[in-house]
Amino acid sequence: MGKKVYFFTNLAPHYRQLLWLNILKNQENEYSFLCGKETSSGIKQIDFETEDFEPYRNRIEFLKNRYLKKKYLIWQSGAITKALSSKLDVAIITGDAWVITNWIISIILKLRGKKVVFWSHGIYGNEKGLKKFLRILFYRLAHAHLLYERRAKTLMSELGFNKHKLNVIFNSLDYEKSLSLRSKIELIDKKSALPFFSDAEKPTLLFIGRLTAIKKLDLLMNAYNQLLEKGFGLNLLIVGDGPMQNQLSTLVEPSIQNKSCHFYGPCYSEEKLAELISASDLCISPGNVGLTAVHCLSYGTPVLTHDNFYNQMPEAGAINPGKSGLLFKENSVESIVEKVEYWIFEQKLSREEIRKNCYKIIDDYYNPQYQIKVVNNLVNGNNPLL
């Protein structure tokens, strides 16, 4: 086996379970994980007790996260000891400057002659003053970077970072599961998938996620009402729950009564989510979009979100405007209305063409196989793939 590589990370989010498992299985290099075992964020964690992880448990170790300053800063007990003593060639560290020990272990590992890589969002472009200074200073500690999107690579290159040390790794969900479900969901008719609508054949707008203020769902509700007032026949499906549910449902109460708007509630079945997403015609995320974009594109459904990438999550870059979705002017109900009108009633792509466009970006980049290829390429000292 090739080089010994340690991942230092504060969390083990559940959506990365397939990726971590495939990294551990990889034969090109020997990968190990050091991660915080607990979190107060409410984020579901990887279950390392499953049978799949059993052969690799000796390469998974836990650190203790200690939260400081009202949980704004993190100290990882055990990280420094591992940085001082571990026999490794490359360390891939969560590029989070608010994890105080990340600064220290990066310096220790560099002094030991080890290669240090940060895996992060990189530069957003909206950083200013002290925050920008500290973030750039922190990123300078790494020999190379793994970044979620091409935009971050462009911004960091403009700040003087060597583009040959900036590797775009994208993001992924359970790609193997989505592949297995694709052929099944395409055979399900809309009436079966969306039985709660009085007319399931109408074009369906979708939101999927937590119903929180940051998602700006009032924009979607107001846009939907305006589209109905203009005479467009549309359904609206909301999947998820959260503190804004009562307020949002009040905005569309008449449509709930006539069964053209439905609050589905939370859904934890991937099979059912695949049906709901695939049967919808356009997912709309008025705030930042995040992994919802990857989720919807994985099942062939285009995505509409706002165009201000300073306030977006990296996964917004998965949308190919005009092919697999559109971008609207941030915070503009009128822009949402305009884009929905165009996409649903004017653009000429068939549903099958749209599905293929959505699948392509996922199959090319947003999957664990591509991510592992990027990691191995970096560890082995090659120039970035993109």
Side-chain angles (χ1 to χ4, degrees):
M1 193 170 280
K3 297 180 180 178
K4 290 183 179 292
V5 183
Y6 275 43
F7 287 84
F8 288 79
T9 177
N10 54 310
L11 298 176
H14 184 266
Y15 79 87
R16 283 191 173 166
Q17 183 157 323
L18 179 64
L19 174 61
W20 283 33
L21 187 59
N22 279 299
I23 287 174
L24 289 166
K25 289 178 179 179
N26 186 265
Q27 297 295 310
E28 194 165 332
N29 294 292
E30 183 181 296
Y31 293 102
S32 300
F33 287 89
L34 300 165
C35 60
K37 190 171 185 179
E38 73 288 329
T39 174
S40 60
S41 67
I43 298 172
K44 186 178 180 181
Q45 301 293 289
I46 293 174
D47 181 7
F48 292 109
E49 297 305 313
T50 62
E51 186 178 335
D52 289 337
F53 281 100
E54 186 171 353
Y56 313 105
R57 292 208 180 109
N58 65 324
R59 288 196 266 139
I60 301 168
E61 298 182 56
F62 296 104
L63 306 172
K64 184 172 181 59
N65 291 341
R66 299 185 182 276
Y67 296 91
L68 314 170
K69 293 288 183 181
K70 296 183 179 180
K71 301 184 179 180
Y72 188 64
L73 302 176
I74 299 174
W75 179 275
Q76 284 198 289
S77 297
I80 293 174
T81 300
K82 291 295 181 182
L84 286 166
S85 61
S86 297
K87 295 180 180 179
L88 57 88
D89 301 299
V90 181
I92 299 178
I93 302 170
T94 300
D96 187 343
W98 310 121
V99 180
I100 303 302
T101 42
N102 283 352
W103 293 74
I104 301 170
I105 64 175
S106 298
I107 293 170
I108 290 171
L109 289 164
K110 289 184 76 173
L111 289 173
R112 290 184 61 200
K114 309 303 181 182
K115 185 172 183 176
V116 174
V117 178
F118 285 171
W119 186 342
S120 74
H121 292 270
I123 295 295
Y124 282 90
N126 59 357
E127 298 90 346
K128 295 179 181 178
L130 181 61
K131 182 178 181 179
K132 182 177 181 179
F133 172 79
L134 287 174
R135 187 164 288 180
I136 293 174
L137 180 65
F138 177 65
Y139 288 153
R140 294 286 184 196
L141 291 175
H143 295 104
H145 293 265
L146 290 166
L147 303 168
Y148 289 113
E149 259 301 333
R150 286 174 256 211
R151 182 174 179 273
K153 179 171 182 173
T154 299
L155 292 172
M156 291 182 72
S157 296
E158 291 172 351
L159 289 170
F161 288 84
N162 185 342
K163 67 179 182 180
H164 298 299
K165 304 298 182 182
L166 303 174
N167 302 261
V168 183
I169 192 169
F170 300 103
N171 213 341
S172 67
L173 292 170
D174 193 337
Y175 179 67
E176 292 177 8
K177 182 77 169 180
S178 67
L179 276 183
S180 71
L181 290 172
R182 279 184 193 176
S183 58
K184 299 176 184 177
I185 58 178
E186 290 175 15
L187 298 175
I188 298 173
D189 64 79
K190 296 187 76 171
K191 288 183 179 180
S192 298
L194 309 173
F196 31 76
F197 290 131
S198 58
D199 184 358
E201 295 301 328
K202 288 181 180 177
T204 296
L205 308 180
L206 167 72
F207 172 81
I208 179 170
R210 287 279 293 160
L211 310 185
T212 57
I214 197 171
K215 294 300 182 179
K216 301 181 180 180
L217 290 167
D218 56 313
L219 299 178
L220 173 55
M221 303 301 165
N222 291 331
Y224 176 63
N225 287 335
Q226 287 190 23
L227 286 159
L228 295 183
E229 289 170 7
K230 295 178 76 169
F232 294 106
L234 293 163
N235 293 323
L236 176 61
L237 174 59
I238 308 296
V239 180
D241 62 2
M244 297 293 292
Q245 181 166 336
N246 290 338
Q247 180 180 333
L248 295 170
S249 60
T250 300
L251 294 175
V252 288
E253 184 61 33
S255 296
I256 294 174
Q257 294 299 322
N258 67 29
K259 297 185 178 180
S260 60
C261 176
H262 182 71
F263 283 73
Y264 188 92
C267 180
Y268 303 104
S269 164
E270 188 63 20
E271 289 78 5
K272 177 55 68 174
L273 284 170
E275 288 183 17
L276 296 173
I277 293 170
S278 180
S280 300
D281 295 276
L282 180 65
C283 173
I284 303 178
S285 187
N288 55 40
V289 69
L291 281 165
T292 295
V294 176
H295 204 181
C296 289
L297 295 173
S298 295
Y299 294 122
T301 295
V303 179
L304 173 64
T305 192
H306 74 76
D307 61 358
N308 184 354
F309 281 84
Y310 293 121
N311 296 329
Q312 269 293 2
M313 300 299 285
E315 292 80 14
I319 301 166
N320 185 352
K323 300 290 186 181
S324 60
L326 290 171
L327 303 173
F328 68 87
K329 184 178 180 181
E330 186 182 25
N331 297 324
S332 172
V333 172
E334 292 72 21
S335 183
I336 296 175
V337 170
E338 176 189 338
K339 299 298 183 179
V340 172
E341 281 187 38
Y342 169 76
W343 187 265
I344 298 296
F345 301 105
E346 297 175 16
Q347 62 89 19
K348 304 301 182 184
L349 295 175
S350 69
R351 190 69 182 92
E352 185 56 33
E353 287 176 304
I354 294 169
R355 285 189 198 280
K356 289 179 179 179
N357 292 339
C358 294
Y359 292 157
K360 180 172 174 50
I361 189 71
I362 303 299
D363 294 342
D364 286 350
Y365 300 115
Y366 289 81
N367 61 77
Q369 287 72 34
Y370 183 81
Q371 292 180 288
I372 294 168
K373 186 177 178 181
V374 171
V375 172
N376 278 329
N377 188 69
L378 169 58
V379 168
N380 296 336
N382 300 320
N383 283 335
L385 300 178
L386 287 175

